[in-house]
Structures are given as C-alpha cells and as structure tokens.
Amino acid sequence: MAVDDSVLLRTEGHTGYITLNRPQALNALTHAMVRTVDRALATWEQDPAVEVVVLTGAGERGLCAGGDMRAVRADALAGGSASLDFWRDEYRLNARIARYSKPYVAVMDGIVMGGGVGVSAHGDVRIVTERSKVAMPETGIGFVADVGGTHLLAQAPGELGTHLALTGSAVGAADALLCGLADHFVPSRRLAELTASLAELDVTEAVGRCAEPAPEGELARYRTWIDDCYAAGSVEEILDRLLDRGDPAAKEAAETILSRSPTSLKVTLAALRRARELGALEPVLDQEYRVSCAAFSSPDMVEGVRAQVIDKDRRPRWSPAELAQVTDADVARFFAPLHERELGLGAAREPGIARGRGLGLAGGRGA
C-alpha cells in the first residue's frame, strides 16, 4: 500500500496501525492525510487478515490538533475552493469511521481538537489519558464545529455539549468520558503496552488489562448551572443566565463566550439544536458541510485564524462585532441548500444501520 510520509501505515498480527505523522504541526490534517487514511481503511476492510484498526499520533504532544487552518485561510484569501474539497473528503472519512465494520481503536492522547475529534471520537473504542485535552474550539477562530462535532455534542448529557461548543473549552479525560467523547482511561505510561497487545489480543481483553478509573473531572459539579443556563433559546439569553448565576465558573464561561465570534456563536447554537432533531450522523455531516462552505466565505474565519494561529495576537476583529448585529437571516444563510454541491451522505445512508461503541467493555457506552 502506498504510504504518504505524513501518515504511517503498518500491520502487525491481526491489526492495522495508522499513525498521523506531522508532529511538528501537532499532526494537523491535510487533504493528502485524509485520503491516505481513507484508502487504508477501505483496503483493510476487505482484508480478512486485518481484524482491528488502531489510530495514534506521532510525538507526545497530541493525536491531532485539527485541520490545517493556515492552508484553509490561504485558500480563502486566494478565492480558491480546495478547502471545500478537503472538507468533502474529510466528512466522508468521518462517516466511514463511524460505520466501519471492524473495531476501530483511537488513542486520544494529548491534544485532540477539531478534525482530531473527527478521526477519533466516531470510533468504537476511544482511549483518553491524563494528558488528553479534547475540544471543538471553532468559535474562537470564526468557524463552526464540524467533522460530526455537532452530532457528538448534541448527544452529550444535558447541555454539556452546548457549553463545550460555545466556549470551545478543552476537557480532560474524565470530562471527555462524561460527555461521551471517549470510552476508557488508560495512563499514558501504558499506551505502548496497549497498542502492542492489540496486535494479538482481543480488543476487550487488551483494553481491559490497561484501563483504569479516570482522575476526577470538573464538569460533573457544574451540571446544575450548565443545564439551566444553556437551555435558553438564544446566545444572548444564555449569557444573561450565566452572568446572573453568581458562580465564578459560570461568569468565566460567559467571558469566554463573549470573546468568540458572534456569528459563529449563533450559527453553532442553531447547528446543535438542528443536529438533535436530525439524529443520525450522516445528515448532520451534510448540514455541517453547508455551514462550513458558508463560513469559508465569511470574514470571521479568515480573521479568527489570523488572530489565533498566524499573528497570535489573540485580538480578532469580528464582523459583526456584537451579537445583536447578527440577524436571523445571517444565521439562515449558513444552512441554505447547496443543490448540486451537497455532500449527500444522508441520502446515501442505508436505513437501519446502527453501531454500538465500546464493544461491550466495562465503561464503554452505547450508540
């Protein structure tokens, strides 16, 4: 199998191993990487010698920091469309992972953000460690949660997903487990043992040998104010409730939200609420593709990436600058049909397909 240097592929025992290999860029995904992973999965799915697939990231800083937003910004400034092709293939890969017919084990060690969530959190067995920092941080760069992120966050207990989507905050192992973004905690010192044992052992046995209770998280004790505040019907009302709560953590959440793109916040809330109604992953990915295409041509995405990634001055100039200036029509534009350019995953999905997660392991979760 042809190998792109940015993705390392190998087989050992009954397992196929995929390693994202851009450690200098926190393994940020390029279009070539997406295509390589997709080809590997398609090939291994037809290979009876490969019974399990394991995803890891090179280096010790993280599995994957997301898509290459520098390249996306440059494409937008040049008036190109390569990013739209990238997202089309990336979202199709996310759907493939979610419906893969063989156990797919994702090692979510270190930073796992945006596109990194897309290639891991749709898998069967999602492993987090004490170093894990899992996030969908798109509102901070003038973008909107994608790669099936609105599907995952819409399924989180109560309004935890809304909190994570609007703030873009990263969570550790216990909170990733609580929110349904991961299945098992394995200390980083045992990852080598785990990945090696997956070449020979049954997935349930291999993970069972290494999994431990996760250290205590934070979100469980905030559930009361999170569920109450984020159940509001608008971003403005959510902010009012957070600021009126009298809880320092709620105030901090409000301040974080106020620093995000007003347009991204309103579109994100609408996307999450719509994702709950859509239910299945594929129609949500279709919706996210429409939203991403619209965001690509909006000023906030270019400005947000400049402020957070390029210049790193952390002082984005959002347009519009205030929530009150973002109209319902502005939000609706992000969900407009793309007609012949639609992603079309929802229409192609066979009815009745469903898949559990966790493979029956203690601590795993159902679909």
Side-chain angles (χ1 to χ4, degrees):
M1 190 183 303
V3 178
D4 185 289
D5 287 343
S6 57
V7 178
L8 305 180
L9 305 174
R10 67 182 177 90
T11 58
E12 183 179 340
H14 60 218
T15 298
Y17 292 88
I18 301 172
T19 302
L20 305 180
N21 189 41
R22 293 182 71 211
Q24 75 285 358
L26 277 171
N27 301 318
L29 295 172
T30 64
H31 201 165
M33 293 170 72
V34 166
R35 287 171 169 165
T36 299
V37 173
D38 191 68
R39 285 195 301 269
L41 292 178
T43 299
W44 286 340
E45 193 159 30
Q46 302 304 315
D47 186 348
V50 176
E51 299 176 8
V52 180
V53 173
V54 177
L55 176 75
T56 60
E60 296 186 352
R61 296 172 63 199
L63 171 67
C64 175
D68 189 341
M69 294 308 294
R70 287 176 178 266
V72 171
R73 180 178 186 269
D75 186 31
L77 288 172
S81 60
S83 299
L84 309 187
D85 296 333
F86 165 64
W87 288 325
R88 179 177 291 273
D89 287 343
E90 184 183 24
Y91 300 172
R92 289 183 178 276
L93 172 61
N94 302 147
R96 182 190 290 280
I97 291 168
R99 304 300 170 192
Y100 204 59
S101 62
K102 298 179 179 182
Y104 182 98
V105 181
V107 180
M108 302 169 70
D109 185 35
I111 292 174
V112 186
M113 296 185 178
V117 174
V119 294
S120 59
H122 296 298
D124 293 286
V125 179
R126 292 98 33 102
I127 305 296
V128 284
T129 75
E130 76 282 358
R131 302 187 297 207
S132 295
K133 295 183 183 300
V134 184
M136 296 299 295
E138 287 78 7
T139 56
I141 58 168
F143 199 53
V144 179
D146 64 338
V147 299
T150 58
H151 171 75
L152 293 164
L153 295 177
Q155 292 185 321
E159 295 292 338
L160 290 174
T162 310
H163 170 68
L164 296 185
L166 295 185
T167 63
S169 299
V171 295
D175 290 333
L177 292 164
L178 173 64
C179 292
L181 300 173
D183 299 300
H184 302 281
F185 174 80
V186 174
S188 59
R189 58 183 169 77
R190 302 197 68 179
L191 288 181
E193 175 189 351
L194 171 65
T195 55
S197 66
L198 284 166
E200 304 297 337
L201 298 179
D202 173 81
V203 174
T204 302
E205 183 178 358
V207 175
R209 287 185 177 187
C210 298
E212 299 180 6
E216 185 178 357
E218 295 182 351
L219 292 182
R221 65 178 182 267
Y222 298 154
R223 278 293 303 276
T224 300
W225 64 258
I226 286 177
D227 288 351
D228 175 59
C229 296
Y230 289 96
S234 69
V235 178
E236 291 92 335
E237 188 179 351
I238 288 171
L239 284 167
D240 287 342
R241 291 188 184 187
L242 289 170
L243 291 170
D244 289 344
R245 193 74 190 189
D247 186 303
K251 181 182 178 183
E252 181 180 354
E255 291 172 347
T256 298
I257 291 171
L258 285 167
S259 72
R260 306 315 194 196
S261 159
T263 300
S264 294
L265 290 169
K266 288 199 171 184
V267 174
T268 295
L269 184 61
L272 280 172
R273 300 284 162 84
R274 290 172 180 236
R276 286 177 179 170
E277 297 298 321
L278 289 169
L281 172 63
E282 287 84 355
V284 175
L285 285 167
D286 288 342
Q287 172 177 273
E288 289 180 350
Y289 187 68
R290 296 181 200 112
V291 170
S292 295
C293 288
F296 183 69
S297 61
S298 70
D300 277 5
M301 190 274 292
V302 169
E303 171 61 10
V305 176
R306 178 207 65 77
Q308 302 295 342
V309 180
I310 307 295
D311 297 338
K312 299 183 180 179
D313 60 23
R314 310 289 192 257
R315 299 181 66 181
R317 296 179 290 274
W318 304 123
S319 178
E322 303 292 337
L323 283 165
Q325 297 173 313
V326 182
T327 68
D328 290 344
D330 293 332
V331 174
R333 180 179 70 84
F334 284 76
F335 299 91
L338 298 175
H339 304 296
E340 70 277 1
R341 296 189 295 116
E342 290 282 1
L343 186 60
L345 285 172
R349 180 179 182 239
E350 296 180 20
I353 296 178
R355 213 182 57 154
R357 290 198 177 97
L359 301 178
L361 292 161
R365 70 182 186 90

